[in-house]
């Protein structure tokens, strides 16, 4: 019996020893694995955010475009981005964005400025009220303030009478970097003296964002258009130019100048002298306002055209992204087939016609005297000595309402035209990223088709399927009985 107990005691001792050794081994392995994980975590946290964070958002909110990479990678000057934010109030999206810029170039430095610690810091850059998560971009003597409202942009939605919010942090930052590091900024001269309208706020902000400086010019006070003008803009004149002014514009374009015209029909009719400039290039202007007879090529009303786009460097980006600009209240332009220098960018269908009644039209039906289409409502003209004219025959297409109706395509089209005249810039055309659902602009015929399907065809289809299933089951029950 004692021998049996001794054997049991020895066996238990061996088991305890083995268990202790196994526990010690497991504890050691666990400690080593934890140590490795801690070290890896420290190493990974030290890596740039671009290598550790991945953007799976639908709008690519946390990504930057190739345009930004080209601008930032080409930097040869030191740029400081001041992040004005209170401790604990940092916006996660802005923080991620700044991290990506910081990782792209050694020339970029991110510096936080807590307004509680530096209450007067922002005053040297702006007179505006400064919100948390505002930015200042500085290089040498140049700087640009980017307010929080410039990063998270709110625009009125004409459908729901609410506001849509979009994130424009990348566009604002890249534009600011381009601005503070560029010595010679493009000069845009805006014509005045003919009742021209103010540039729409959205379009004006885009021009400023692209680091284009604007100046006003009256042709009545100069003998020629200044040489430093990279482009001349004529925007929505309400009265005609003189023949002498038009001659000056023609000479400017033929000498290599760049001209952007946004002018449609007025209540008094055609701006005969201004539109007479087109006759030099084989383009005829039609009286009245263009109305589209094809329901697939207008939206809301037949005078709000959804024209067909031709492939061109001005339109290609819109075509690729399936964006469709609208052209409301347009002047019809007929291009001579022999005019090889003229490219029609936007055209109506052969069912369109020009209502010669103009602003006095009382019906969208075609009447006697109305002029048959198709028409060009936007065109590009190659002039001598690499001069260029881009012409939009709708003065209203940049108005906020019509621009919102096109989901911003109208202003994108105008900016594409301006950038083609002034010269391409990688900082241009970085679209803001919507934080809301986008509304889809559809044609009148498509809207009618959807109504028919949703209200009539689908419900009747479901009713028919239900009736067939019920009859089949009753037949099976009768056969079984």
């Amino acid at each position: 019996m004692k021998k049996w107990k001794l054997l049991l005691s020895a066996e238990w001792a061996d088991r305890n020893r083995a268990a202790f050794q196994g526990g010690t081994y497991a504890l050691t392995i666990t400690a080593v694995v934890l140590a490795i994980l801690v070290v890896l975590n420290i190493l990974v946290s030290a890596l740039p955010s671009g290598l550790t964070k991945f953007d799976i958002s639908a709008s690519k909110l946390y990504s930057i475009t190739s345009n930004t990479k080209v601008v930032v990678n080409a930097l040869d000057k030191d740029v400081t981005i001041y992040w004005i934010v209170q401790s604990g109030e940092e916006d996660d999206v802005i923080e991620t964005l700044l991290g990506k810029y910081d990782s792209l170039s050694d020339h970029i430095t991110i510096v936080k400025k807590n307004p509680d610690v530096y209450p007067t810091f922002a005053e040297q850059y702006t007179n505006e009220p400064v919100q948390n998560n505002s930015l200042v971009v500085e290089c040498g003597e140049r700087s640009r303030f980017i307010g929080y409202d410039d990063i998270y942009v709110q625009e009125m939605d004409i459908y729901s009478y609410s506001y849509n919010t979009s994130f424009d942090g990348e566009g604002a930052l890249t534009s600011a970097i381009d601005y503070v590091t560029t010595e010679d900024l493009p000069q845009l001269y805006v014509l005045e003296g003919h009742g021209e309208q103010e540039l729409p706020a959205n379009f004006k902000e885009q021009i400023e964002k692209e680091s284009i400086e604007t100046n006003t010019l009256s042709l009545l006070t100069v003998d020629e258009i200044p040489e430093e003008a990279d482009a001349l803009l004529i925007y929505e004149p309400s009265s005609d130019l003189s023949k002498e002014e038009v001659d000056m514009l023609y000479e400017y374009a033929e000498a290599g100048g760049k001209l952007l015209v946004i002018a449609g029909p007025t209540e008094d009719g055609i701006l005969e002298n201004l539109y007479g400039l087109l006759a030099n290039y084989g383009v005829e202007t039609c009286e009245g306002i263009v109305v589209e007879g094809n329901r697939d090529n207008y939206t809301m009303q037949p005078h709000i055209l959804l024209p067909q786009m031709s492939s061109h460097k001005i339109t290609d980006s819109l075509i690729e992204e399936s964006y469709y600009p609208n052209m409301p209240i347009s002047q019809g332009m007929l291009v001579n087939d022999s005019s090889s220098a003229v490219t029609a960018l936007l055209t109506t269908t052969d069912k369109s016609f020009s209502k010669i009644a103009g602003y006095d039209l009382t019906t969208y039906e075609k009447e006697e005297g109305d002029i048959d289409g198709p028409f060009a409502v936007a065109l590009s003209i190659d002039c001598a000595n690499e001069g260029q004219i881009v012409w939009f025959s709708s003065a209203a297409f940049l108005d906020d309402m019509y621009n919102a109706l096109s989901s911003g395509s109208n202003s994108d089209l105008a900016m594409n035209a301006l950038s083609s005249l002034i010269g391409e810039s990688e900082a241009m055309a970085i679209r803001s990223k919507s934080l809301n659902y986008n509304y889809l602009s559809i044609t009148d015929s498509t809207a009618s088709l959807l109504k028919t399907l949703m209200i009539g065809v689908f419900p009747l289809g479901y009713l028919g399927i239900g009736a067939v299933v019920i009859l089949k089951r009753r037949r099976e029950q009768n056969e079984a009985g």
Side-chain angles (χ1 to χ4, degrees):
M1 191 70 178
K2 286 184 178 180
K3 187 176 180 182
W4 176 251
K5 289 182 177 179
L6 288 172
L7 288 173
L8 286 176
S9 298
E11 186 178 347
W12 277 109
D14 290 340
R15 287 183 179 181
N16 289 336
R17 189 180 301 109
F20 177 76
Q21 290 176 347
T24 303
Y25 178 75
L27 185 62
T28 303
I29 293 297
T30 302
V32 170
V33 171
L34 287 174
I36 293 173
L37 289 175
V38 169
V39 171
L40 283 175
N41 191 51
I42 293 172
L43 292 175
V44 170
S45 65
L47 293 174
S49 61
L51 299 177
T52 60
K53 294 182 179 180
F54 302 94
D55 188 0
I56 59 173
S57 61
S59 61
K60 295 299 179 183
L61 185 62
Y62 302 96
S63 301
I64 55 177
T65 63
S66 59
N67 303 60
T68 290
K69 293 175 183 178
V70 170
V71 172
V72 174
N73 291 334
L75 287 177
D76 56 4
K77 300 176 182 178
D78 292 335
V79 176
T80 302
I81 302 175
Y82 294 105
W83 186 8
I84 304 172
V85 61
Q86 292 172 306
S87 179
E89 298 295 327
E90 293 86 353
D91 182 279
D92 291 339
V93 180
I94 294 176
E95 184 173 21
T96 300
L97 181 68
L98 292 176
K100 289 186 178 293
Y101 278 82
D102 189 29
S103 64
L104 278 178
S105 175
D106 293 335
H107 287 287
I108 292 181
T109 304
I110 311 296
V111 178
K112 276 189 182 181
K113 287 291 182 179
N114 189 331
D116 294 334
V117 181
Y118 304 96
T120 62
F121 173 77
E123 293 178 3
Q124 58 187 310
Y125 299 102
T126 182
N127 295 322
E128 301 177 24
V130 179
Q131 297 175 272
N132 266 326
N133 293 293
S134 295
L135 304 170
V136 172
V137 180
E138 184 178 56
C139 177
E141 298 297 320
R142 272 194 176 170
S143 64
R144 175 176 284 183
F145 172 75
I146 304 173
Y148 183 77
D149 292 338
D150 298 320
I151 299 173
Y152 287 94
V153 181
Q154 288 193 328
E155 295 180 341
M156 182 68 181
D157 188 324
I158 63 173
Y159 294 97
S160 62
Y161 298 100
S162 60
Y163 284 91
N164 286 334
T165 303
S166 59
F167 181 76
D168 197 25
E170 182 192 357
L173 257 178
T174 301
S175 173
I177 291 171
D178 189 52
Y179 169 76
V180 299
T181 57
T182 302
E183 294 182 1
D184 298 321
L185 297 175
Q187 301 294 311
L188 174 66
Y189 279 73
V190 183
L191 194 67
E192 64 177 4
H194 313 89
E196 290 86 355
Q197 301 300 307
E198 286 286 330
L199 295 178
N202 182 62
F203 185 53
K204 190 173 183 180
E205 287 173 5
Q206 278 194 281
I207 292 175
E208 293 173 354
K209 175 183 168 183
E210 310 308 344
S211 303
I212 300 172
E213 292 189 341
T214 57
N215 313 270
T216 57
L217 175 68
S218 172
L219 297 180
L220 299 174
T221 61
V222 296
D223 295 327
E224 60 180 15
I225 297 169
E227 291 184 4
E228 60 268 22
D230 291 293
L232 177 64
L233 169 62
I234 301 175
Y235 180 75
E236 199 171 349
S238 58
S239 61
D240 206 358
L241 281 67
S242 68
K243 290 185 178 180
E244 291 74 17
E245 290 174 298
V246 173
D247 289 341
M248 194 181 301
L249 293 175
Y250 177 70
E251 292 170 3
Y252 168 70
E254 288 295 301
K258 314 292 184 180
L259 179 62
L260 175 60
V261 181
I262 301 174
T266 67
E267 294 188 17
D268 295 329
I270 301 175
L271 301 169
E272 292 187 5
N273 291 335
L274 176 59
Y275 268 87
L277 176 61
L278 294 175
N280 297 303
Y281 302 98
V283 179
E284 178 186 350
T285 308
C286 298
E287 184 181 356
I289 292 175
V290 177
V291 168
E292 180 58 72
N294 189 333
R295 297 176 69 186
D296 288 331
N297 290 91
Y298 70 82
T299 181
M300 296 180 68
Q301 298 292 337
H303 70 275
I304 307 177
L305 313 174
L306 285 177
Q308 301 163 334
M309 285 190 286
S310 302
S311 178
H312 190 276
K313 63 181 180 179
I314 293 174
T315 58
D316 282 346
S317 62
L318 296 176
I319 295 172
E320 290 170 7
E321 297 295 332
S322 298
Y323 288 113
Y324 298 98
N326 60 68
M327 290 286 125
I329 316 175
S330 299
Q331 195 95 56
M333 298 182 291
L334 298 174
V335 181
N336 192 308
D337 292 337
S338 62
S339 302
S340 58
V342 181
T343 301
L345 303 176
L346 304 177
T347 54
T348 62
T349 71
D350 55 7
K351 292 185 178 180
S352 64
F353 48 91
S354 184
K355 298 287 297 180
I356 61 172
Y359 278 85
D360 295 326
L361 65 85
T362 57
T363 177
Y364 289 117
E365 298 296 325
K366 187 178 179 183
E367 299 175 299
E368 185 178 355
D370 291 341
I371 305 169
D372 289 327
F375 307 100
V377 291
L379 48 80
S380 174
I381 303 173
D382 295 324
C383 308
N385 300 301
E386 298 185 351
Q388 186 182 2
I389 299 173
V390 178
W391 200 294
F392 295 100
S393 66
S394 168
F397 84 104
L398 288 178
D399 290 356
D400 290 340
M401 181 182 74
Y402 296 115
N403 188 49
L405 185 62
S406 72
S407 299
S409 300
N410 289 3
S411 59
D412 284 346
L413 178 64
M415 285 307 303
N416 285 357
L418 188 56
S419 65
S420 76
L421 294 172
I422 289 179
E424 295 293 339
S425 170
E426 294 295 341
M428 290 185 175
I430 299 177
R431 291 179 64 92
S432 58
K433 299 165 184 178
S434 176
L435 302 179
N436 302 88
Y437 293 106
N438 288 326
Y439 288 92
L440 177 65
S441 295
I442 59 176
T443 63
D444 186 69
S445 62
T446 303
S448 298
L449 175 62
L450 289 175
K451 289 177 184 177
T452 303
L453 291 174
M454 296 299 181
I455 298 174
V457 176
F458 290 162
L460 290 174
Y462 290 138
L463 184 62
I465 292 172
V468 170
V469 171
I470 291 173
L471 291 173
K472 183 178 180 182
R473 287 179 178 176
R474 286 184 176 178
R475 187 182 299 111
E476 291 175 350
Q477 290 174 354
N478 293 333
E479 291 175 354

